[in-house]
Structures are given as structure tokens and as C-alpha cells.
Amino acid sequence: MAEGSNRGEGPTSSKRMRIDTDPNTAITEFLTKCDDYLLFQLTKFYRDRLEQAIEGGVDGVSSLLTYERHFSGQEHRKVVDLVEKGNRADSSKLVLNLVMEKGSRARRVMWESFVKMHHAVPKLDKILKEMQELGPDPFDYMNIGRGLSEIPSHLKDVQQKHKETLRVQTETLRVNTILIKEKVKIFQLVTLYTELTVISTVRDRTLVEHELLARGRDHEEWKEKHLRRELEKIRTDQLFHSSFSQRKSKSGSSAAVSGVVGIGKITMVQKIVYDWATGKIYPHFQFVFSFKFRDLNAINCRINLRNLILDLYPYFGNILGELWKNPEGLLFIFDGLDEFKERIDFDNNRINTEADYICTDPEDWCEVSDIVYSLIQHKLLPGCSVLVTSRPTALHLLEKAEISVWAEILGFVGEERKEYFNKFFEDQAVAAAVFKHVEQNEILYTMCYNPSYCWILGLSLGPFFTQRDRKQQRVPRTITQLYSYYIYNILKNHGREIESPRDVLLKIGEMAFTGVSEKKIVFRNGDLIKYNLQPSQFLSGFMVELLERDDSAQSVVYTFPHLTIQEFVAALAQFLTPDPGDIRKLLSEAYSKDDGRFEIFLRFFVGLSSSQSARPLEEFLGPFLHQTICGVIDWVKAKVEGQIGNITNKFGDTENETGERDLLNTFHYLFESQNQTLARVTVGSVEILKFGHLTSWKALRLTLIDCAVLSHVIGLCDTIKYLDLENCSIQCEGLQRLGPALHKCQVLRLGGNKLGDSGVKLLSAALRNPDCKIQKLELWGNDLTDSCIKDLSSALRTNRSLMGLNLNFNKLGDSGVKLLSVALRNPDCKIQELGLDGVDLTDSCTKDLSSALSTNSSLTVLSLRSNSFTDQSVPALRSLILNRRSLERIRLEWNQFSPNEKRHLESLRESRPRLSVGV
């Protein structure tokens, strides 16, 4: 571009940025002193990060550029249209594209808008602070003009051979299965690989490690929220881009990528090597050398870097010395730091004896750990780049290392999960069916952030949608049923490898139960010895797919792939082993723990009483004792009846959150048991169910599976009258799960749930149901617009039960009320109370409302507070009151009217003694 010719013309003052007590002043001063070329380069340098950063406020940036006449009205409209459609990523790309086309003045205005909005946009604030701190010369850290050094001609052949070798090594993906005929399945990497979400920071290690403990959508929502506001995504081809670097060094760059078990670190490294070998990424690296720490563990003697490379790539022969001359062209990858048997010490203790450990020459003989240390610290081949991967448990070892870029794999977020299943199954109809089944189950969906759990689900669920001999109506409906089939597959395909699968499973389950009891998810050799288990049984027996080996510097440790698998095996072992007489004691003691450690365990235990859960396992583990099943049913019956007994027959009296959670858990037991007789006996006569609250923080937050369970229970209730789910965060997806049972309730309180217009469409279907019993419907604060009123009005024209409708604090507007008036005009409309507080009404709607109610003979209470009425609406309101003889109360915001018009309204009381007009 022409702007590139101005580099030498920038004022010297732009080379240094003054740190000021007011960040706005400092960054504004810096931008003022930037010449056009520098601003152009800064925009290019931060381009990818800016695209993410401005997503939340992109319409504001576009508005300012339009106001300053840099964007046309049509261009601004394109940006806003993308925002309104939810395509904020595309809208931010469009803004930056337009700005770069417009020239220097538009860029300056854009950066000025960044300064104004950065306090409200954390990612933008971070970039501006970095710019403020990174001086004195931005060109130093931007690496402007760093070209690709030409590789000598005599090295081109070996480079080509190296790339071809790596391509062949990495183009296929070998995956273990639980199938006896095909224990290892081979895929083309590019066919199966699904991009992972990686962030350019590392979260709190304790939090990350306890992803294993995560249930529900809370951690998924946390990720999505923080991705939008704070966490910056980083692509694998950006790991060595200096804009993400926290340390600016001329001696080379080191990147560390962390991730929990099964999150895809090894596969990600394979994809990086494959992409480099095929010329897709990192063109500035002439050679890439990849090592696994688990392989380095086999080296028990001193070695040098030359031999380390030649052991893997012997074709380099004697030309490695040529490579040492250009270390900037070298990338070393070390995968799995947590698996390394040696401890690499980066802390200050090493400084005193550093000479003994530092390796400064690739020909020097030393320990493997010293070679890795020296490469990361840029003591060996300064200028080269290093990538290290690790689980969070070992990441503390790198805290004091010279790491430039820290990154963490979050796993699959949002649509990435669906993409994985689309690639897992060749038949896209099967992929869609399996993903839909997973999506509808809260625990299964939660597990899908981790690729290894997706693999388990694909293997376990796939046969139900692909094999002709399995009926789809028997697809696992509960989490207990799904895990039963998962264990069944392992027993079927690996059970022959050991003498007594039942005995081994019981030992594993006993160890798992101890872990659940003690909140323990990691097991060591001592634990195996205690339960008479041999490590070989985990490595070669039928449980190899269930337990994961984790080599650390101290000892070999084991962990279940997911906490719920540990809980299931624990429940299965306890179900099979105790004396039936001890069942009630075991269940009662587990239930008495109020910290949630046995919550899912108990659901599994009760679920195993279901014949559909037990049937596949009984083939290998023998019949489940009838006495145990009866004992479980008796305990559940007593527990549910006790919880139901705590519910009063007065509307709105139960506000004990602990009691509500306990009741919901007992409903989960009923759902897992799939025992309709038990459910009808215990909940068939329930009249009141209350989980909501007018105060959002007091209300019980319901997940999708909670909603499915609640729907199951309500469907079996013959006398349900009152259902309160106010502020329970159910949203449209939760309402969809509840939909089949809603028409049975007389009072339905759904306020504060962000149901949206699509949620009202679902409710309209319930209102149209010929058996609908809904008399009072609360929908306040649900983000409704006029778009949903047509559906609602249509339903009201046929509904004969609804008498109370609360639509307060939604954005219906005059157009929404006009559509609603169509239903109110119907002489058969039964609505007696109508709430329209704060729905964005103006004077222009009052005539429609007055006209509609003139033919309505049922309405007695109308609330119109917190709307934008003026004196101009008073004639229509007076007419409404005079003509609507059945109206007993109309609520208005008095301060909107002049004293004279207030008197006119109050005078109506003289002719209507029972009429209440007021706030």
C-alpha cells in the first residue's frame, strides 16, 4: 500500500509513550503523536485481537464513524444488520475492512472511539494498556518487516524430505475403540479433526482441574460469557504472533498450552505439525522438531540435541550444523510436560548452580531435562521457538520460565460440539439424531466440551441409531441407562480378557465409592493395592477404556474419564454388593450429606432399579437382587412422600430453597427409576409445585434436564393446579422440555425466564390444547416483543380457560397491544385481569384498547403503569372506563398527567362507586 512509504517520516516523539496517571490521557497522547504509517501498522498488528475486542460495541464504533462521515448510511446499516442477526464477529470484521479501505483519518477516528469505550470493553482495555506499556518503540515488538529468510539450496532437499516424513506421520489419526473386532480405528486427520477453542491466557489451575467435577450448563455459560467479554481466542497459527506475547524478547519465543485430560492436546500438536508440513502455517519456521515427553522418559543417559534429533530423523546426517546457524527458523515442540519423569526446575534455586545445568551448545552432552530447560530459556540456540503442552497439574513448573505466550484449550464451545458429531458419523442423519439426544440431556451435553467424552458418547449412542436390531424407542432416556450401555460395551468387548469381570468391576467400584465419599478423583498405586487391583488390569483389561493413566514425577496415578463415570461405577458396585437390609441405611447416609457429593450417585443408584438400566448389565454381572430393587423403591417412596408433605396447600407459602432443591432431587430419582407406578403413587395427587421466587437470587435455577424431569412428574400428576417457576432461568429451551405438561396447570407463573417470542409460541400451543386448564398466566419480564402477540392472540380466540394474563415489562409497544386487542374484542374472551405495565405504550394505542374493550364483557382489572402516556390519552381512557361497565380497577401512573386531567379521571368514581382508579 502507498501508506507503507511513510515509515521514515514519523516524528521521534512517537517512538516513546509516556505513562500517565490517567490512562485515557496517556493513550490519547500516544495516538496523537503516532504518524499515519505507525497507526496503519498498529491496526494491522492488532487486527485479529481487535476483531474480537470490538464485537460487543461494534455498532457504537460504526455509529461514530458514520457521524464523522467516514461510513455511509448504507455501510452503517450493513454493520447494524449483522449485529441484529447475531453475527457480531462478521460485523467487527466488516468495520475493520471498511476502515482499512477508507484511509488514515478513518483509522484515527476508530482508535479515538476505542479510547472512549475501552472501560466497558475488557479486551479492548487490555490492548490499549499493552500499547501504553510496551514502548518505547512499537516497531521493536511489532517485528515490522521481518521477512522469511531464504533457506540455502543445499538444505531444500532435506527440508522437503522432512516435511514429507512429518506429513505421512501425522496425516492419520489412530483412535482406541471399545470394539473387539476393531480395537484401533484409523481416520484421516483432516476428516475427523474439529477445531478447539483456545484462549490466550491460562485460568486458575484449581478451577480448570475441577472441570472434572462440572455438571449442568454453568461452566459452559461461564466460558461463553467470558469469551465474549474478556477471554481472547487464539488460533494455533498465532501461538508465536508477538501481539499475544506477554514477554517481548529478541532471543526467541516460547509458548505453553495447557488443557485437562482428554481435551485434545496431543491431537492439536499433531494438527500443528501436519499443517506446517503441508505449508498451511508457520512459513517462517524452516524446520519443526516434535518430541513427546513420554518417549523422552526412555532415555536414561546423557545425550545432546544433535543425537536427540537424529534418533527420530536420521536423514539429517551431518547437516544439522547448518541449521544451528539460523536458530530463528527452528521450532521445537515438547508434548506432555506432566508425563515427564524428571522435574525441570525453572525457579530461582537454579540460578546459583546454573552452570551445571545449562546447555549452550547442541553438541554438548547433558541430561534431557537440561536440553529442554535451555531451549525454553533461550540459552541453547537463542532465537529458536519452543512449544510446550501440559495438563494444568504440571503447569506450575513453568511459572518462572521464559514463556512468551500462555494459552489454554477450553475444548468445544457452542457449535463445535455439533461439528464433532457431524464428523464422527458418516451418516449425517445419524449424527443429527445422536447430537439431538445428547443436547436434550444436561449431563451428556456438559461432558461434550471434552473430545474424549464426545468419543464415548458417539460409541455408546451410535448403535441405537444405526443398527437395525436396536429399536430407537429403547434409546437410553436417562443418564443411568446410557452409562449402563457404556459399561455393557466394555464388558462385551473386553470381558473375555480376565477371569471374573464382575469381581474386577466390584473392586473398581468400591475404590470409586471411597473416592466419591472423600471427594477424591485421583487414585495412586497405593489405592490399587488396597483394593487388590493390579495396574496391568487397567492397561490391558476390559477397564482400559474407563480409567486413564496419568504419569507424574512422583508416581503413576489414575483417574476416571469423567466424575459421573466414577459415580456410576461406585453406585453399580454398591447396588450389587450390600445386604438388602443395609440399603436404606446406605441411601439415608448418602442423602444426609448436604454438600452435593452424593447427588448424582443417588440418582444412579435409584436408576439401577429400572429394568431397562439393569438388562444390559445382567448379561455379564448376573441378575440384580429383587430385594435390593424393592428396598430402593421403598426408600424413594418414603423420601418423595416426605418431601411432598412439606408442601403446603397455600399458594406461595413454600420459599425454602433447600427444601425446593431436595424436592427436585427426589423428582430426579423418580425420573431415573422410570417407574410410573411409583411416581403416580407418590406425586399423582400433588396440587402445588413452587420453585420460583420474585427475587431472582432466591429462585431455584433449573437446567434443561431439571425441566425434562419436572415435565415427566407433572405428566403423572392428576391434580396439579399451581406451578411457580418465576426467575428459574428456564428460557425457551427449558420451556420446550416442559411444554407437553403445561396445559394441565391452572396457575402458571413463568415471569423472569427470558422465554422470548419463541417461548410464547410454545405456550400458545398449550393454550390451544382442548384440555387446557390454564386460568392464570404470568409472563412478565420475558423479553417479549410484538412478534409473539399474533400467536398469543390466535390462541386466546380459541381458549376458554384463561382469565388472568400478566405481560408486564415486555417490549410489546403499541403494535403489540393493537394485535392483542383483536383477541380482546372476541365476545368469548374470558380474560378478567390484564397486566400491561411497562410495555412501551404511547397515547396512540389507547384508542385501540378502548375500542377493543367496548365489546368485552369479562375484563375487571387493567394495569397500564410505567408507560409513556400524556394528557392526550385521557379522552380514550375516560371512554374506556365509561364504556367498560365491568371494569373494577384500572392502574395508571398519576404523575404522567396534568392536575386537570387527573381530576377528570377521578371524577369517574362518582358515577362508578366500585371503580378504583390509581397507582
Side-chain angles (χ1 to χ4, degrees):
M1 288 188 176
E3 296 177 67
S5 63
N6 294 330
R7 175 171 181 177
E9 299 175 12
T12 55
S13 56
S14 72
K15 300 293 186 179
R16 187 167 191 85
M17 182 172 174
R18 183 172 64 84
I19 304 299
D20 198 287
T21 52
D22 180 359
N24 277 20
T25 303
I27 194 66
T28 300
E29 180 179 325
F30 172 69
L31 292 175
T32 301
K33 293 178 179 179
C34 282
D35 61 20
D36 291 342
Y37 175 75
L38 180 53
L39 209 55
F40 168 73
Q41 292 291 2
L42 283 167
T43 308
K44 279 181 59 181
F45 180 69
Y46 285 110
R47 173 67 185 262
D48 288 326
R49 294 178 64 187
L50 287 173
E51 282 183 5
Q52 294 184 54
I54 67 174
E55 282 184 17
V58 65
D59 36 358
V61 177
S62 181
S63 294
L64 182 60
L65 285 160
T66 305
Y67 177 77
E68 294 284 347
R69 300 182 183 277
H70 295 292
F71 282 7
S72 67
Q74 186 177 8
E75 288 169 334
H76 176 61
R77 185 69 250 168
K78 286 182 180 178
V79 174
V80 173
D81 284 346
L82 287 171
V83 171
E84 290 176 350
K85 292 175 182 176
N87 299 331
R88 286 190 170 270
D90 291 337
S91 67
S92 62
K93 287 179 182 177
L94 176 58
V95 165
L96 285 164
N97 285 338
L98 289 171
V99 166
M100 294 301 276
E101 291 172 5
K102 301 290 181 181
S104 59
R105 182 57 196 154
R107 269 193 298 277
R108 196 166 293 278
V109 170
M110 179 182 71
W111 280 96
E112 288 169 357
S113 73
F114 293 167
V115 175
K116 293 176 183 176
M117 65 190 288
H118 75 99
H119 288 302
V121 185
K123 293 182 186 178
L124 200 54
D125 188 55
K126 182 179 178 181
I127 292 172
L128 293 178
K129 284 179 178 176
E130 284 181 15
M131 289 172 58
Q132 181 184 350
E133 296 167 358
L134 283 172
D137 187 350
F139 288 109
D140 283 348
Y141 63 81
M142 287 196 294
N143 294 327
I144 300 299
R146 184 180 76 170
L148 304 180
S149 56
E150 182 68 22
I151 186 169
S153 57
H154 64 284
L155 293 180
K156 286 184 178 179
D157 288 342
V158 72
Q159 184 194 56
Q160 191 58 40
K161 181 174 179 59
H162 186 52
K163 284 189 172 185
E164 180 60 18
T165 300
L166 293 182
R167 184 192 66 77
V168 171
Q169 289 177 352
T170 58
E171 66 183 353
T172 57
L173 192 61
R174 296 170 61 85
V175 184
N176 292 326
T177 77
I178 55 176
L179 307 175
I180 198 161
K181 293 180 181 178
E182 195 177 20
K183 291 187 177 181
V184 176
K185 197 167 183 179
I186 298 176
F187 297 88
Q188 290 296 310
L189 177 67
V190 292
T191 302
L192 190 64
Y193 188 79
T194 303
E195 288 296 333
L196 296 156
T197 292
V198 184
I199 54 173
S200 64
T201 186
V202 176
R203 298 174 296 157
D204 177 73
R205 286 188 300 278
T206 304
L207 173 67
V208 175
E209 195 64 15
H210 281 77
E211 290 278 1
L212 286 169
L213 302 172
R215 302 194 195 94
R217 291 183 187 252
D218 287 346
H219 82 291
E220 171 71 4
E221 291 178 0
W222 182 93
K223 286 177 183 176
E224 291 185 342
K225 175 184 174 183
H226 286 267
L227 272 174
R228 285 193 302 270
R229 282 187 49 79
E230 298 170 22
L231 301 178
E232 289 186 282
K233 289 185 181 181
I234 180 171
R235 300 191 308 268
T236 51
D237 64 328
Q238 296 173 322
L239 289 172
F240 297 96
H241 192 290
S242 54
S243 73
F244 288 97
S245 180
Q246 296 179 17
R247 291 176 184 262
K248 306 304 175 183
S249 171
K250 294 182 179 179
S251 59
S253 178
S254 295
V257 179
S258 74
V260 295
V261 176
I263 204 71
K265 297 183 294 295
I266 293 175
T267 309
M268 185 197 74
V269 166
Q270 183 176 337
K271 184 66 162 51
I272 287 174
V273 175
Y274 177 81
D275 284 348
W276 175 80
T278 54
K280 294 178 182 177
I281 63 171
Y282 299 151
H284 56 286
F285 291 132
Q286 295 174 351
F287 294 94
V288 171
F289 301 108
S290 182
F291 304 92
K292 288 182 171 63
F293 276 107
R294 64 176 64 165
D295 295 332
L296 298 179
N297 285 335
I299 301 175
N300 297 313
C301 59
R302 295 170 74 85
I303 194 171
N304 58 25
L305 182 58
R306 168 188 289 276
N307 287 338
L308 205 59
I309 293 173
L310 291 177
D311 283 348
L312 283 179
Y313 315 108
Y315 46 80
F316 277 95
N318 295 321
I319 65 169
L320 282 175
E322 293 291 321
L323 273 57
W324 310 147
K325 295 176 182 178
N326 183 31
E328 290 80 6
L330 304 179
L331 170 63
F332 294 92
I333 301 176
F334 294 97
D335 188 19
L337 176 64
D338 50 282
E339 298 180 337
F340 195 33
K341 66 181 181 181
E342 302 293 336
R343 177 185 175 91
I344 305 177
D345 188 5
F346 289 94
D347 62 25
N348 293 331
N349 296 332
R350 184 186 272 268
I351 294 176
N352 300 326
T353 56
E354 200 171 59
D356 296 332
Y357 297 101
I358 286 186
C359 174
T360 58
D361 191 322
E363 310 291 337
D364 285 348
W365 294 81
C366 51
E367 301 295 333
V368 172
S369 59
D370 296 333
I371 294 175
V372 177
Y373 167 85
S374 300
L375 284 170
I376 292 175
Q377 296 296 84
H378 316 303
K379 308 294 184 183
L380 176 60
L381 297 176
C384 75
S385 296
V386 182
L387 171 61
V388 183
T389 72
S390 173
R391 291 187 194 175
T393 46
L395 208 61
H396 65 281
L397 299 172
L398 295 171
E399 279 182 348
K400 296 185 178 179
E402 294 288 327
I403 302 297
S404 307
V405 175
W406 294 90
E408 180 194 335
I409 304 175
L410 287 188
F412 295 146
V413 177
E415 287 295 304
E416 293 163 352
R417 304 171 181 214
K418 186 176 183 179
E419 182 185 346
Y420 179 91
F421 285 100
N422 287 341
K423 291 185 175 182
F424 185 93
F425 296 102
E426 293 181 4
D427 188 332
Q428 291 305 287
V430 173
V434 170
F435 181 72
K436 182 179 179 181
H437 188 78
V438 168
E439 195 176 25
Q440 290 176 346
N441 190 302
E442 195 65 32
I443 294 178
L444 302 190
Y445 187 76
T446 299
M447 292 169 66
C448 284
Y449 79 94
N450 190 309
S452 65
Y453 308 156
C454 290
W455 180 256
I456 290 172
L457 293 171
L459 288 172
S460 299
L461 289 172
F464 287 95
F465 297 93
T466 55
Q467 293 181 6
R468 294 179 182 177
D469 58 338
R470 291 201 187 183
K471 297 179 181 179
Q472 286 199 19
Q473 60 263 33
R474 296 185 62 188
V475 173
R477 187 181 178 201
T478 69
I479 190 72
T480 311
Q481 290 170 8
L482 178 105
Y483 278 35
S484 291
Y485 277 101
Y486 174 64
I487 298 298
Y488 164 81
N489 281 326
I490 293 175
L491 290 168
K492 179 180 179 182
N493 294 303
H494 295 278
R496 300 173 186 174
E497 298 174 9
I498 54 175
E499 292 183 4
S500 177
R502 179 187 170 102
D503 289 346
V504 174
L505 183 59
L506 291 179
K507 292 174 184 177
I508 295 168
E510 191 64 34
M511 185 176 72
F513 179 73
T514 301
V516 174
S517 304
E518 300 174 358
K519 291 187 173 182
K520 181 177 180 179
I521 59 176
V522 175
F523 303 93
R524 303 185 181 279
N525 282 328
D527 297 305
L528 271 61
I529 294 170
K530 180 179 178 181
Y531 294 99
N532 296 317
L533 291 166
Q534 299 297 321
S536 59
Q537 290 175 320
F538 287 97
L539 299 174
S540 60
F542 78 105
M543 295 300 291
V544 68
E545 306 299 335
L546 183 62
L547 293 178
E548 173 147 353
R549 179 173 174 169
D550 174 14
D551 293 331
S552 69
Q554 291 79 27
S555 63
V556 178
V557 299
Y558 303 88
T559 180
F560 290 85
H562 194 266
L563 176 61
T564 51
I565 295 177
Q566 178 178 334
E567 291 167 315
F568 180 82
V569 177
L572 180 58
Q574 292 300 309
F575 197 96
L576 293 173
T577 52
D579 186 306
D582 294 334
I583 287 292
R584 185 178 289 271
K585 179 182 178 183
L586 169 70
L587 294 174
S588 297
E589 287 181 355
Y591 187 84
S592 67
K593 302 294 183 183
D594 58 5
D595 56 7
R597 74 180 73 178
F598 285 108
E599 185 175 302
I600 304 299
F601 167 87
L602 285 169
R603 293 182 192 177
F604 282 140
F605 201 98
V606 174
L608 286 167
S609 68
S610 161
S611 59
Q612 191 171 346
S613 296
R615 190 179 299 114
L617 294 173
E618 287 179 328
E619 181 180 334
F620 296 97
L621 304 178
F624 287 16
L625 288 177
H626 181 68
Q627 299 96 312
T628 301
I629 295 171
C630 291
V632 172
I633 292 173
D634 289 342
W635 181 82
V636 173
K637 184 174 183 291
K639 190 58 60 182
V640 177
E641 288 175 344
Q643 290 294 331
I644 295 298
N646 293 331
I647 301 177
T648 69
N649 288 320
K650 296 179 182 179
F651 291 164
D653 278 2
T654 48
E655 295 189 355
N656 185 329
E657 187 177 345
T658 303
E660 292 164 1
R661 170 53 67 186
D662 289 343
L663 177 62
L664 187 61
N665 273 328
T666 59
F667 287 171
H668 274 277
Y669 302 154
L670 290 176
F671 180 72
E672 291 294 328
S673 75
Q674 292 291 294
N675 189 327
Q676 292 202 11
T677 303
L678 174 62
R680 289 190 185 280
V681 168
T682 53
V683 301
S685 59
V686 167
E687 294 186 356
I688 301 171
L689 289 176
K690 184 181 189 307
F691 298 101
H693 199 282
L694 279 171
T695 307
S696 59
W697 61 270
K698 287 185 178 180
L700 195 63
R701 181 189 176 104
L702 300 183
T703 65
L704 286 181
I705 197 165
D706 290 335
C707 292
V709 167
L710 198 52
S711 178
H712 174 77
V713 169
I714 295 173
L716 298 171
C717 291
D718 299 321
T719 55
I720 185 71
K721 292 180 180 177
Y722 181 92
L723 177 63
D724 183 353
L725 301 179
E726 287 184 338
N727 283 314
C728 286
S729 303
I730 62 175
Q731 302 186 37
C732 182
E733 285 182 303
L735 190 69
Q736 190 173 19
R737 307 299 192 278
L738 288 161
L742 293 177
H743 70 279
K744 300 178 70 173
C745 307
Q746 294 179 16
V747 177
L748 193 53
R749 305 185 70 174
L750 298 172
N753 276 298
K754 297 183 179 179
L755 300 180
D757 295 336
S758 52
V760 171
K761 287 185 178 181
L762 295 170
L763 283 170
S764 298
L767 291 170
R768 288 192 190 94
N769 190 312
D771 298 323
C772 179
K773 295 186 173 81
I774 302 173
Q775 297 177 11
K776 184 174 182 179
L777 179 59
E778 301 253 357
L779 291 175
W780 54 263
N782 268 301
D783 297 336
L784 308 183
T785 71
D786 59 348
S787 298
C788 72
I789 300 301
K790 188 174 182 180
D791 287 301
L792 186 59
S793 295
S794 174
L796 292 179
R797 285 199 292 272
T798 59
N799 180 277
R800 296 292 177 266
S801 64
L802 191 67
M803 292 184 287
L805 178 60
N806 183 340
L807 294 170
N808 295 343
F809 305 108
N810 289 292
K811 297 180 180 180
L812 306 183
D814 294 337
S815 55
V817 170
K818 188 172 184 177
L819 290 168
L820 187 62
S821 299
V822 175
L824 296 175
R825 278 194 188 92
N826 189 335
D828 295 327
C829 179
K830 304 294 184 184
I831 291 181
Q832 297 176 6
E833 296 186 18
L834 179 61
L836 294 174
D837 290 345
V839 294
D840 295 345
L841 303 184
T842 68
D843 296 331
S844 63
C845 81
T846 52
K847 289 183 180 179
D848 288 311
L849 204 53
S850 177
S851 173
L853 293 177
S854 64
T855 59
N856 182 292
S857 60
S858 60
L859 193 71
T860 59
V861 179
L862 176 63
S863 191
L864 295 170
R865 294 170 296 189
S866 301
N867 287 297
S868 301
F869 296 142
T870 69
D871 287 353
Q872 293 181 25
S873 65
V874 172
L877 292 172
R878 281 171 54 85
S879 174
L880 185 157
I881 294 169
L882 289 170
N883 294 330
R884 180 68 270 121
R885 303 303 297 178
S886 65
L887 196 64
E888 296 177 1
R889 183 172 184 82
I890 181 168
R891 301 187 183 98
L892 297 166
E893 202 81 50
W894 278 124
N895 59 10
Q896 292 180 322
F897 307 116
S898 66
N900 188 48
E901 296 300 340
K902 285 181 189 177
R903 284 193 293 273
H904 283 150
L905 290 170
E906 287 178 326
S907 67
L908 296 175
R909 291 177 179 173
E910 297 174 7
S911 59
R912 301 273 300 282
R914 292 180 59 200
L915 179 65
S916 174
V917 182
V919 178

